[in-house]
Amino acid sequence: MSLNTPLPSPVEMSREHSAEALTGAFFPGADSQNGVRLREQMSAMLDHWFQWRDHRFSAPASENHERLTSQHDLRLVERLNALQEALTEETPTFTPRYLAHMKADLSLPAILGWFAAMLHNPNTTSPEASRVGSRIEREAIRHLGEMMGFGAQVEGHFTSGGTIANFEAVWRARYRMDRWLALALCISQQTGASLDFFDAAHMGWPRFRDLSDRYDINEEAIDAASALASNPCDIIRRLSIASGQPYRGPVLLVPGNRHYSWEKAADVFGLGREAVWSVELDEGGRMDIDKFIQTIQRAHRERRPILAAVAVAGTTETGALDPIDAIFDHLDALTETRGWSIWRHVDAAYGGFFRTLVHRPGDEGIGARARSSLEAIKRADSITIDPHKLSYVPYACGAFLTADAQRYAVSSFDAPYLDRPELGPGKWASTLEGSRSAAGAAATWLTAETLGFDENGLGSLLKGALDATAFLRALILRVAPAARFVPADSNILCFSIAREGDALSESNRLTEAVFRHFQSSPGFSVSKTTFAAGWEALRTEHVKGYKGHLDADEMLVIRCVVMNPYWCQPSVRDRVGGLFADELRAAVEGALNDGSGSPQC
Ligand SMILES: *Cc1c(COP(=O)(O)O)cnc(C)c1O
């Protein structure tokens, strides 16, 4: 893509490289090996920016310009130094020693794309506010859509992150359901027939159009029966009367492994905590498909419409992939047999970029189950994906995608001062956020145009991350045979420490001690997490693995997110891997020798 400007066509680039070669070309380097290149490009970028400015609106220099500048300059330099000095205390997340969370070094295309756009400071609310930024955003969304399998019809926009992208999905699902319920309410009041909430709330657009034609119900009448366009309390009362039973509102179906943003969404959208229906997980920490089916049945029985069914691709805790193919197969079957259209959202904030691996040959990288789960994401209504996680782009950069424009539809709002139809549609009316920077979109765009969101670009790099994960897992087992791993679909390693026959409570104590060791030492950063409610099957299976017994209803694990690109370099692996092994050995020995533990593990 060319951004519609007469730029020279992109330089040809050979597209088959190892993760190691790509890391060498597209990242600053664990030892800042690309520092000179980056400095040159940054300086050339500033030259370009100043040249651009010089040709526009130049103003004559004021008289005391020089004196003021030198004074202010001193102050600026001094305070800037103070700021930079303060930032040296920041957690160094670029290094392969950082394994704690979903953050690693930034890529060169991301840094350069971000800066290039930031200097022009485009606001993607509308093409009027940003002629170029809006175009960059559109192309970057197309790149992401193509990677996710959505095709040319994709719609969407960049958000500050996965949380807001998830909210965008709820906003749209709620809008759609509200239209459908409102139409059903109009018909029921016209005909006197009893209203079935569940049927009505999932009627689908084709039936919606048929019915509104048949009963001659216009937009205005629907607005008057809408809980969003009119008074929600009145509408709930009218729905209850029309159906002869109290309307208790919709539910949100989410897996037990969900991110906490879904609870926030329920809160913000006024659904109430009770409306978050959590589906239990299987022994791999993935949504249990049988429990999912039972939860839909329960919603039907209790006449609670399903606002959205959410599946997670790459859970925040373990990087697991829900069985998205099986989940969507079931929803397809419900459409077929019952005519129900239930909104399907995939929260792929973390794992969405693993779709770049789907087309790698054979069994490379991910297993068959993970592959068909990733493959199925393209059947979603909407997707959340975070370039600021596995695409190595700076914060704050998430994205929300829908399969087409119809699914993108949402309550519309007017802003007369932004209405310039000749410039094309603005995003301001259909985004939860107002002013939005194009910097993240530009970083994503430049990454797609250089590294590439395909099996040979980012896919190769992520394959490298999976290999590094396998390497680290083997290393951990070698130095700590008491490490007990939770099943992993991707590049997050979770393990507890337990001897054969230990009780879970004892394992939790040992694991906590190992974690504390890491926390108190500057060598490596790891994180920890707890598997509590919803994770019963995984806990049972895990403890069975060391013939232990379950005497606690929470399980603590140490968590390592292996996404740092430098782990795919053998030199880094040798150096940093050895240091990690030493650290872990010391931590585990300390834990086992402390208190009641016997030291032979
Ligand atoms: C990180 C994450 C989110 C939230 O994204 P933010 O960018 O932190 O707002 C949501 N869902 C999943 C699965 C995530 O991993």
Side-chain angles (χ1 to χ4, degrees), residues 367-425:
R369 201 183 35 72
R371 191 183 294 261
S372 51
S373 175
L374 288 165
E375 187 66 69
I377 298 179
K378 62 173 183 244
R379 294 156 61 196
D381 291 306
S382 57
I383 298 172
T384 288
I385 183 160
D386 266 353
H388 67 207
K389 286 174 180 165
L390 280 177
S391 184
Y392 306 95
V393 161
Y395 297 122
C397 185
F400 172 71
L401 308 174
T402 59
D404 56 30
Q406 182 168 67
R407 288 154 167 112
Y408 193 66
V410 75
S411 315
S412 53
F413 298 90
D414 290 331
Y417 66 96
L418 280 175
D419 193 16
R420 295 271 306 276
E422 72 279 13
L423 294 169

Side-chain angles (χ1 to χ4, degrees), residues 102 160-164 166 259-262 312-316 347 349-350 384 386 388-389:
M102 298 165 159
S160 65
T163 299
I164 298 298
N166 285 341
H259 186 264
Y260 54 80
S261 51
W262 293 102
V312 181
T315 63
T316 316
D347 184 356
Y350 183 65
T384 288
D386 266 353
H388 67 207
K389 286 174 180 165

